[in-house]
């Protein structure tokens, strides 16, 4: 039996939409803490890494639903991480939503991030409301991708 989707009433939680775990990647611990607190307020479990290489290792060890990464980091930058994710042999990683947060000039980052599907850009200092909206949008897209029958009218 197909259930109708209500467009009215309470917003579904991110976890009920399929976003259960977020990986937060930033070499600055204070930034990770700010993003971590915001994500946890949305009832999403978090993992943290201080650089892109460590983050990629975590992606191979844990089921992650979204990555939130800085660009300028030691070892592997956020772009190194993004490229490794998109070029992975794992199709699940290739389609993983990635939110890029950076203080670098917006146009340069935006031009580089828009070449990848499922990649979003937020400038630093990060706007907490904008981060929440972006994560809710990602969760909604995840749910729609996993429930294609809901996309068709009857």
């Amino acid at each position: 039996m197909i259930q109708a989707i209500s467009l009215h009433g309470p917003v579904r939680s991110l976890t009920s939409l399929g976003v259960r775990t977020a990986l937060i990647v930033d070499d600055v611990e204070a930034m990770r803490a700010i993003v971590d607190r915001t994500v946890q307020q949305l009832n999403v479990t978090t993992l943290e890494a201080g650089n892109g290489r460590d983050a990629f290792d975590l992606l191979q060890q844990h089921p992650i639903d979204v990555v939130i990464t800085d660009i300028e980091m030691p070892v592997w930058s956020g772009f190194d991480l993004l490229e490794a994710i998109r070029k992975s042999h794992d199709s699940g990683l290739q389609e993983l939503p990635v939110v890029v947060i950076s203080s670098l000039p917006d146009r340069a980052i935006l031009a580089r991030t828009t070449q990848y599907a499922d990649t979003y850009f937020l400038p630093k200092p990060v706007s907490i409301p904008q981060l929440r909206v972006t994560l809710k949008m990602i969760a909604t897209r995840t749910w729609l991708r996993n429930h294609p029958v809901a996309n068709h009218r009857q």
Side-chain angles (χ1 to χ4, degrees), residues 39-67:
V39 173
Q40 287 193 23
Q41 287 172 349
L42 295 169
N43 297 319
V44 175
T45 302
T46 59
L47 294 173
E48 296 182 18
N51 65 66
R53 179 68 209 160
D54 290 346
F56 195 70
D57 290 342
L58 286 172
L59 285 170
Q60 295 175 335
Q61 299 168 16
H62 301 278
I64 305 289
D65 301 302
V66 64
V67 173

Side-chain angles (χ1 to χ4, degrees), residues 1-149:
M1 179 175 164
I2 298 174
Q3 292 182 324
I5 298 172
S6 173
L7 299 177
H8 306 287
V11 175
R12 302 183 111 187
S13 72
L14 267 58
T15 53
S16 72
L17 293 171
V19 175
R20 294 172 191 82
T21 306
L23 175 57
I24 302 164
V25 190
D26 199 310
D27 59 324
V28 178
E29 189 174 340
M31 277 303 302
R32 284 195 317 263
I34 290 167
V35 174
D36 183 84
R37 184 173 39 253
T38 301
V39 173
Q40 287 193 23
Q41 287 172 349
L42 295 169
N43 297 319
V44 175
T45 302
T46 59
L47 294 173
E48 296 182 18
N51 65 66
R53 179 68 209 160
D54 290 346
F56 195 70
D57 290 342
L58 286 172
L59 285 170
Q60 295 175 335
Q61 299 168 16
H62 301 278
I64 305 289
D65 301 302
V66 64
V67 173
I68 304 167
T69 185
D70 185 27
I71 290 296
E72 295 182 297
M73 296 180 289
V75 186
W76 275 21
S77 72
F79 283 131
D80 294 329
L81 173 61
L82 182 58
E83 288 186 25
I85 289 169
R86 296 300 179 238
K87 292 179 180 176
S88 171
H89 296 293
D90 180 342
S91 62
L93 282 182
Q94 290 173 0
E95 297 176 358
L96 186 67
V98 177
V99 179
V100 173
I101 300 175
S102 179
S103 59
L104 294 173
D106 294 3
R107 287 186 187 184
I109 301 301
L110 187 58
R112 193 149 175 207
T113 56
T114 55
Q115 68 182 337
Y116 299 105
D118 293 318
T119 305
Y120 308 85
F121 172 70
L122 296 176
K124 278 185 179 178
V126 66
S127 159
I128 299 305
Q130 193 173 17
L131 176 59
R132 284 187 183 128
V133 167
T134 301
L135 292 173
K136 288 176 183 178
M137 180 181 64
I138 289 168
T140 301
R141 289 181 62 139
T142 299
W143 189 87
L144 288 170
R145 183 180 293 142
N146 294 332
H147 297 85
V149 171

